[in-house]
Amino acid sequence: MTTEKPAETYSPLYFLASLGAGGLAVTFFMYLMFWVPHPGQPVPVFEDLQTVFATGSVALKSAALLAMIGIAVFAFLNVRSLLWNLSALSRFRRSPSYQALRSSNAETTLLAAPLASAMTINAMFIVGLVFVPGLWGLVEYLFPLALVAFLGLGIWAFRLIGDFLGRVLTEGGVFDMTAHNSFAQLLPAFALSMVGVGLAAPAAMSTNSLTVGASLILSTFFGIAAITYTVVASVTAFSSMLRFGTAREAGPTLMVIVPILTVLGILFLRQNHGLHAAFDTHGTAAETMVFLARLLTVQILFLMLGLLVLRRQHYFRDFVFGSKLSPGSYALVCPGVALSVMLHFFTNKGLVGAGLIEKFGPAYWSVTAIALLFQVSMIALVLRLNRQHFRRPAETLVPAQ
């Protein structure tokens, strides 16, 4: 991956390319999570896949093999893009463009770095589960390390947020409200939610009550922080959009609520599992179904709003299928990936869990087909954007504010 004069044309929003690839790896893991039996642990592991390939049906073997290939391919793209971005960001910091970014609304685009890094840790954990024999026997030792790693990313994110808020809230007059006419300022909330869901993983998988308790407390802090930031930033941004219209290059950010809600939804599901397993606190399957249905409703509403604006502004014509380049185009991947993952959870933890539909029945595959359609569409979009942005000299880039 190279672009012409990266120090001049680079934007931290290119970390979203890494994020999108990592998210697609997660969509393939959903096949294994909900289709492969995994008795004895809450997630499928290498040994469960061995059992599938030894005794499973042809259809299940094919799905498992496809999932493993998809995870391997997109985890590789995730790591490769992350490393490229970290190197490009290091060079970008030595350029005048970086100083200009740090004094503008776009300073919050730097939060894409800890956001993508948190996704990479999640993706690497999935790779370990799927491809490393015997890993589950070591997870109780790995969970504390994971908490430390995600907490480190959280501190990094809060330092970047502190730099930004400290500047705009103390100096006065430096935040451009006319350029706040999008949901680009929700990127910090997205980063905090991704850190939070990573911190919640041990709550869902550990059998050590101390580890589960630490996971619950830390993930709650970052989850609530993400919700608070989302509310404040979205209200002020919507006010600006009503006055100045939506910034055309930042149009895809109107749908950033979709991935934020998927990540927070998984965070709360993980917490509920930890409360049930470690502290004997019980929720019902019907409550889970309604909870996921509420999140999905909000996601669909913001998806419709975003697509309406993008269609009116002819965004796809110019920035996806046309010749214009904007790193913010990668923000289009996140909603599709998030909806695919959410639909898998809604189908399996919601509809099947509550007994509303039968697992692997016609209704099950009808809903699952929608999740698979979103996944395939996002794979095509990622490949298109990668080819558009990294296989020819970059044109003038228009970063989201």
Side-chain angles (χ1 to χ4, degrees):
M1 287 186 182
T2 57
T3 60
E4 188 177 56
K5 298 181 180 179
E8 296 301 323
T9 63
Y10 178 75
S11 166
L13 288 177
Y14 274 125
F15 275 100
L16 298 181
S18 174
L19 177 71
L24 285 171
V26 174
T27 64
F28 281 102
F29 185 68
M30 293 295 99
Y31 297 10
L32 308 181
M33 180 72 179
F34 296 118
W35 301 347
V36 172
H38 43 90
Q41 71 279 330
V43 290
V45 296
F46 176 83
E47 288 73 16
D48 296 316
L49 297 178
Q50 281 188 312
T51 302
V52 165
F53 289 121
T55 63
S57 66
V58 174
L60 185 57
K61 289 178 182 178
S62 301
L65 179 61
L66 177 60
M68 294 177 72
I69 294 172
I71 290 169
V73 169
F74 286 102
F76 170 76
L77 292 178
N78 166 261
V79 173
R80 185 181 71 167
S81 181
L82 180 71
L83 294 177
W84 178 85
N85 272 283
L86 291 173
S87 176
L89 179 61
S90 178
R91 295 190 299 271
F92 181 63
R93 285 195 179 104
R94 299 190 292 269
S95 72
S97 299
Y98 177 75
Q99 298 306 320
L101 180 141
R102 291 301 296 264
S103 60
S104 70
N105 291 16
E107 183 178 6
T108 53
T109 60
L110 294 171
L111 270 296
L115 168 62
S117 300
M119 174 57 82
T120 297
I121 294 178
N122 287 320
M124 290 303 98
F125 185 69
I126 288 174
V127 169
L129 291 176
V130 173
F131 294 103
V132 180
L135 182 67
W136 192 254
L138 304 173
V139 290
E140 292 297 346
Y141 301 100
L142 297 177
F143 287 145
L145 297 177
L147 290 175
V148 171
F150 279 110
L151 187 58
L153 292 178
I155 293 171
W156 180 16
F158 268 115
R159 289 188 63 180
L160 292 173
I161 293 171
D163 288 342
F164 172 71
L165 293 181
R167 176 174 64 84
V168 300
L169 295 179
T170 58
E171 296 180 17
V174 297
F175 186 79
D176 186 0
M177 286 300 295
T178 64
H180 186 34
N181 52 339
S182 72
F183 279 170
Q185 292 300 324
L186 268 66
L187 190 59
F190 195 4
L192 293 176
S193 65
M194 188 65 71
V195 171
V197 78
L199 288 168
M205 291 181 275
S206 177
T207 57
N208 183 297
S209 58
L210 182 60
T211 301
V212 172
S215 173
L216 288 170
I217 293 170
L218 290 172
S219 61
T220 295
F221 177 82
F222 281 91
I224 296 302
I227 293 171
T228 302
Y229 205 107
T230 298
V231 171
V232 173
S234 59
V235 169
T236 56
F238 207 81
S239 175
S240 182
M241 284 188 283
L242 289 175
R243 183 175 180 182
F244 303 107
T246 303
R248 186 165 185 259
E249 298 80 15
T253 65
L254 289 176
M255 297 180 288
V256 74
I257 293 290
V258 177
I260 290 176
L261 287 179
T262 290
V263 171
L264 289 175
I266 296 172
L267 184 156
F268 291 126
L269 289 177
R270 287 176 169 180
Q271 288 187 334
N272 288 339
H273 184 86
L275 288 169
H276 167 70
F279 300 103
D280 202 30
T281 299
H282 300 279
T284 68
E287 289 173 335
T288 298
M289 179 184 68
V290 173
F291 168 70
L292 292 174
R294 289 168 178 166
L295 294 183
L296 190 58
T297 298
V298 178
Q299 289 178 310
I300 292 173
L301 291 174
F302 276 94
L303 178 69
M304 292 191 297
L305 173 65
L307 291 178
L308 171 67
V309 173
L310 291 175
R311 184 176 63 85
R312 292 284 185 92
Q313 294 183 332
H314 306 292
Y315 185 93
F316 289 95
R317 181 192 66 189
D318 291 339
F319 292 102
V320 177
F321 303 110
S323 60
K324 295 183 179 180
L325 296 182
S326 170
S329 298
Y330 278 98
L332 291 170
V333 179
C334 301
V337 167
L339 277 169
S340 178
V341 172
M342 176 59 81
L343 284 168
H344 279 292
F345 274 94
F346 178 65
T347 303
N348 291 275
K349 294 295 186 181
L351 300 178
V352 173
L356 199 61
I357 64 173
E358 180 183 358
K359 189 164 186 175
F360 302 139
Y364 179 93
W365 289 116
S366 296
V367 182
T368 299
I370 303 174
L372 298 179
L373 180 61
F374 275 114
Q375 180 193 34
V376 171
S377 299
M378 292 307 102
I379 291 172
L381 179 60
V382 164
L383 296 178
R384 165 67 185 176
L385 291 176
N386 285 349
R387 182 171 63 253
Q388 185 177 4
H389 285 258
F390 296 112
R391 292 189 182 177
R392 62 189 177 90
E395 300 173 10
T396 301
L397 300 176
V398 189
Q401 298 298 310

